Amino acid sequence: MEVESKELTFEEGIEHLERIVRELEQKEVPLEQALNLFKQGIELVQNSNNLLDHAEKQMQILLEDPNGELEIRPADFPVEG
């Protein structure tokens, strides 16, 4: 059930991560399979974080400067948690 996370969209990565979590919540998962699923989950989380970071860098906000003209500034979002 290994998936190349670099080829997944954010949404696909989250869906796959949710499937992994559901599978890990089952108590009948053998240890070796659970460790492999956990590793895949970590890779998916890292990939999703990278996609979010990249998207945040691409976002821009139009703001009005002191002269009343619009200027483009990079988005600056506070990180919570």
Side-chain angles (χ1 to χ4, degrees):
M1 183 203 273
E2 196 151 331
V3 174
E4 182 65 34
S5 62
K6 295 184 187 344
E7 298 176 10
L8 295 176
T9 65
F10 178 79
E11 292 79 9
E12 291 168 336
I14 296 300
E15 285 178 23
H16 189 65
L17 186 57
E18 288 172 346
R19 284 194 301 270
I20 288 173
V21 169
R22 282 193 301 271
E23 195 167 340
L24 285 172
E25 288 176 339
Q26 298 175 4
K27 295 185 178 168
E28 293 85 31
V29 178
L31 179 60
E32 191 170 322
Q33 182 182 356
L35 290 173
N36 187 37
L37 288 169
F38 184 77
K39 179 184 174 196
Q40 288 179 39
I42 294 297
E43 290 171 358
L44 286 165
V45 168
Q46 290 171 340
N47 186 63
S48 295
N49 282 336
N50 289 338
L51 289 171
L52 287 173
D53 289 343
H54 183 67
E56 183 176 350
K57 288 176 185 174
Q58 290 183 334
M59 292 177 67
Q60 296 179 326
I61 300 174
L62 285 175
L63 299 171
E64 194 171 305
D65 70 10
N67 299 327
E69 296 184 28
L70 292 179
E71 63 181 8
I72 298 175
R73 295 186 188 166
D76 182 25
F77 300 106
V79 178
E80 296 181 19

